[in-house]
Amino acid sequence: MAALPLFYSSIAALDRNTRREARLAPVDKPYAFAAQAHVLPALTAEFVPGCRDMPILFLDEGGTVSPLFMVGMRPGESRFVDGEGRWRGQHAPAYLRRYPFIGGDVSAEQQIICVDGGYAGLQNEQGERLFQEDGEPAEALRGIIGFVAEYAEAAKATAAFTEAMKALDLFQTINIDIRAADGSTSSYSGFQAISEERLNGLSDEAWLDLRRKGYLVPIHAHLISLANFALLGERL
């Protein structure tokens, strides 16, 4: 059985027949589910807003390279989610804003909307209706469908970006040392970053290709974000 995505305890299709009365209600601590995550999935489309206060790194797992926002000094701790479950950064990652919903593939051409069955805000008594009386998506669900579809497209673009960086051999493994205001430190190895030296050594043709694909902006946003390790240590 495949592992569930980060934060999801169960995933079920949002079926109009079995979930006709479903409503989406606000929860008291909207981002509390992410309070113990020190890294979060990132999309290249959000590198620019995210680079203002979060380091952006890459992780190679089984040959697949994925970008991440680092939001805590150590596992089990986020420095961006406060005690009230609120996001205290400048940009809340799209992965968090999509939760508790996620796309599920019926076929290569068709995707369905799924939901984490354990989400407290999904109920039948209070909140915005997800389905109209006739079973068609209500306004709230139409917005969710649009966002989940946008996320899926952005994820494909992100995968293409990392494949291009890998093909150009731009990734290098880095060591990370973060010092907190109280003097405590955390060290990491195994994460990857784009090498400025290798980037600057590319041919003019390769540079032009990166520009045509729109990759130079996320590359530079990632490099700028690496200055945020000191800010991460200073966050309470």
Side-chain angles (χ1 to χ4, degrees):
M1 181 180 294
L4 288 168
L6 180 66
F7 305 133
Y8 292 80
S9 60
S10 65
I11 295 177
L14 192 62
D15 186 89
R16 72 182 68 198
N17 296 314
T18 59
R19 293 280 195 173
R20 183 70 61 90
E21 301 302 320
R23 296 172 181 266
L24 190 64
V27 293
D28 292 335
K29 298 182 177 182
Y31 290 113
F33 65 90
Q36 295 182 321
H38 73 299
V39 292
L40 297 170
L43 301 170
T44 52
E46 55 184 344
F47 277 17
V48 170
C51 79
R52 292 176 292 176
D53 56 3
M54 293 180 287
I56 301 168
L57 301 168
F58 298 88
L59 186 63
D60 189 336
E61 295 180 300
T64 299
V65 180
S66 302
L68 301 167
F69 291 124
M70 179 167 277
V71 295
M73 277 189 62
R74 54 188 63 86
E77 166 199 285
S78 172
R79 296 206 164 195
F80 283 76
V81 179
D82 67 14
E84 299 302 315
R86 295 170 297 189
W87 184 260
R88 288 306 191 185
Q90 296 190 55
H91 170 77
Y95 189 89
L96 301 187
R97 290 182 281 117
R98 183 186 60 167
Y99 182 84
F101 300 96
I102 193 170
D105 293 326
V106 174
S107 65
E109 297 79 24
Q110 184 180 5
Q111 195 176 64
I112 59 173
I113 299 297
C114 298
V115 64
D116 185 348
Y119 183 63
L122 189 66
Q123 53 177 281
N124 292 342
E125 291 78 31
Q126 297 179 337
E128 293 185 84
R129 290 186 64 100
L130 295 181
F131 293 102
Q132 301 176 135
E133 294 294 339
D134 61 1
E136 290 300 308
E139 182 178 357
L141 183 54
R142 289 197 297 270
I144 291 164
I145 292 170
F147 187 71
V148 169
E150 288 174 10
Y151 189 97
E153 288 302 310
K156 291 178 183 177
T158 299
F161 172 85
T162 56
E163 281 299 313
M165 300 302 103
K166 190 174 179 180
L168 291 171
D169 194 28
L170 293 182
F171 288 123
Q172 63 177 356
T173 301
I174 61 173
N175 296 317
I176 302 166
D177 294 299
I178 308 172
R179 179 177 294 275
D182 62 5
S184 62
T185 60
S186 291
S187 299
Y188 292 95
S189 59
F191 287 107
Q192 296 186 340
I194 292 173
S195 166
E196 286 192 71
E197 181 179 357
R198 297 180 191 177
L199 180 65
N200 291 330
L202 291 177
S203 66
D204 291 346
E205 181 181 357
W207 262 94
L208 286 173
D209 188 51
L210 290 177
R211 190 181 72 178
R212 281 194 295 266
K213 292 177 177 176
Y215 289 167
L216 292 180
V217 169
I219 286 173
H220 287 114
H222 154 66
L223 294 173
I224 289 169
S225 80
L226 298 180
N228 290 328
F229 290 114
L231 292 176
L232 184 59
E234 294 169 1
R235 296 182 71 94
L236 297 178

